[in-house]
Amino acid sequence: MLQSLASNSCVRLIQSHKSTWYFVSLVLGYILYLIFGAVVFSSVELPYEDLLRQELRAIKKQFLQENECLSEERLERFLKKALDASNYGVSILNNASANWNWDFTSALFFASTVLSTTGYGHTAPLSDGGKAFCIIYSMIGIPFTLLFLTAVVQRIMVFSTRRPVMYIHRRWGLSKPLVAIVHATLLATLAVSCFFLIPAAIFSALEENWNFLESFYFCFISLSTIGLGDYVPGEATNQRPVNQSVYLILGLIVMLVVLETFCELQQLKQLRKMFYLKKEKPQDRLAIMEHDHLSFTTVSNRATAYTEGKTPTFVSVPTLASPNDDPMIQ
């Protein structure tokens, strides 16, 4: 009997706090996913890092042996200076001397990466004035970009998703959730083809040292606004940064349209509701307001009675002149 009561109470506790348990499981799942990613990246990339370190040590040792007039300290200072300049997008290589990072088209590409929060990191402001302006420009520009993208996506969604789904639903009488799923799948396939596969093929043809996987990797890193900066196009002389800026802005708009289309699916809405706090129902809110109003009215009436010198009587008790007047005693 006690066990059944305990089990019933546990079930009622879980049912009453279902969204909280779902949220806790979501947090734990996210932490486990982070740990899983760290383990995989470490196991895959650590051997390559160790191999690269060994190769660099061997090349440095061989270079010092072939150039005995150069000390290791002077070489270290030179390499540090070159690496610091490379972090700002300035290279000492002969084939990179003709490429400027702060002409108008390159600055336009940098501004687009800042406002879209992609931030490849291959180019950064050198001066203190440029860094200060970048802060102010980003504080104003990033919310402005979010407003711009939201307005554009809201208008595109009407013609790309809502009207086609409603037309097919009314014209052929198909189930609206089914039509929405098929439409979202087709839209995602079209977006991947036009903004991932085709651009990856173009980048792999234009960039000499990029294969198709590296080009596709660049497209995904860019349009997902991760922006690691390990692959940045534009090294070839026939490419202009303005084309990359247009690709970045259009790609972000299309990705947001696809994400918004999937977010409007009924199945995903139900999934999101599992982890959200339940909204207070209008009936419950009205009952609470009425209760508060009645309580406030009662308190106000009592306060008025006290201020007027009247003591509110809850039970009328007769005044007894003597104990013999009490009917109970009689």
Side-chain angles (χ1 to χ4, degrees):
M1 186 66 180
L2 294 177
Q3 293 179 352
S4 62
L5 291 176
S7 61
N8 291 333
S9 62
C10 291
V11 170
R12 287 195 299 269
L13 179 63
I14 294 174
Q15 291 292 335
S16 61
H17 300 83
K18 187 182 294 185
S19 62
T20 303
W21 293 110
Y22 284 147
F23 177 74
V24 171
S25 63
L26 178 66
V27 173
L28 293 177
Y30 188 76
I31 294 174
L32 291 176
Y33 193 72
L34 285 176
I35 296 174
F36 168 74
V39 171
V40 172
F41 283 126
S42 178
S43 60
V44 172
E45 296 296 330
L46 192 59
Y48 286 92
E49 180 185 1
D50 183 62
L51 180 62
L52 183 60
R53 288 176 181 272
Q54 294 178 7
E55 291 179 355
L56 287 177
R57 292 193 189 98
I59 293 174
K60 177 183 175 182
K61 184 178 180 180
Q62 182 180 359
F63 180 81
L64 292 175
Q65 290 176 354
E66 295 176 354
N67 300 272
E68 297 179 356
C69 60
L70 181 63
S71 63
E72 185 175 0
E73 291 76 12
R74 294 179 58 187
L75 179 61
E76 291 283 347
R77 288 197 300 269
F78 172 76
L79 293 176
K80 185 179 183 302
K81 192 71 175 179
L83 290 175
D84 291 340
S86 179
N87 292 333
Y88 286 98
V90 179
S91 177
I92 62 173
L93 299 177
N94 292 329
N95 58 355
S97 59
N99 298 328
W100 292 87
N101 294 321
W102 294 107
D103 55 354
F104 178 76
T105 55
S106 299
L108 180 63
F109 179 62
F110 172 77
S112 64
T113 59
V114 169
L115 296 184
S116 62
T117 67
T118 303
Y120 292 112
H122 70 294
T123 302
L126 301 175
S127 61
D128 293 338
K131 295 174 183 177
F133 177 74
C134 184
I135 296 174
I136 300 173
Y137 184 73
S138 302
M139 291 176 60
I140 300 174
I142 292 177
F144 188 26
T145 304
L146 293 177
L147 176 63
F148 164 73
L149 293 177
T150 303
V152 172
V153 170
Q154 190 269 339
R155 283 163 173 76
I156 294 177
M157 284 289 296
V158 175
F159 300 98
S160 65
T161 300
R162 298 190 179 101
R163 288 187 179 180
V165 171
M166 289 301 299
Y167 175 78
I168 296 175
H169 170 63
R170 294 175 179 176
R171 181 69 175 79
W172 284 283
L174 298 176
S175 174
K176 188 176 179 181
L178 178 62
V179 175
I181 292 176
V182 174
H183 174 268
T185 304
L186 294 177
L187 186 64
T189 304
L190 182 63
V192 170
S193 300
C194 295
F195 286 89
F196 286 94
L197 297 177
I198 296 176
I202 295 175
F203 282 126
S204 62
L206 294 178
E207 297 292 333
E208 298 179 356
N209 299 324
W210 290 16
N211 54 29
F212 182 81
L213 177 60
E214 293 170 338
S215 301
F216 188 87
Y217 169 80
F218 163 76
C219 295
F220 179 80
I221 293 298
S222 300
L223 298 186
S224 60
T225 67
I226 298 175
L228 296 178
D230 48 351
Y231 288 92
V232 178
E235 298 296 331
T237 56
N238 57 349
Q239 280 193 267
R240 295 181 179 179
V242 65
N243 300 329
Q244 304 161 18
S245 301
V246 173
Y247 166 74
L248 184 61
I249 299 299
L250 292 180
L252 286 177
I253 293 174
V254 172
M255 290 301 103
L256 290 176
V257 170
V258 173
L259 290 177
E260 185 67 20
T261 301
F262 275 93
C263 288
E264 290 189 355
L265 294 178
Q266 192 65 29
Q267 293 80 0
L268 290 182
K269 287 183 179 179
Q270 295 295 331
L271 180 63
R272 294 200 306 270
K273 288 181 180 179
M274 293 173 56
F275 306 101
Y276 292 168
L277 287 175
K278 291 184 178 180
K279 295 183 179 179
E280 193 176 283
K281 294 182 180 180
Q283 295 84 356
D284 299 339
R285 188 179 303 172
L286 181 61
I288 294 174
M289 292 177 63
E290 290 178 352
H291 180 269
D292 294 341
H293 177 70
L294 291 174
S295 301
F296 179 76
T297 304
T298 304
V299 173
S300 300
N301 293 336
R302 292 179 181 177
T304 304
Y306 280 116
T307 54
E308 293 178 355
K310 299 178 181 179
T311 303
T313 58
F314 299 96
V315 179
S316 60
V317 180
T319 304
L320 302 178
S322 65
N324 296 327
D325 296 335
D326 193 346
M328 294 296 295
I329 297 177
Q330 294 176 358

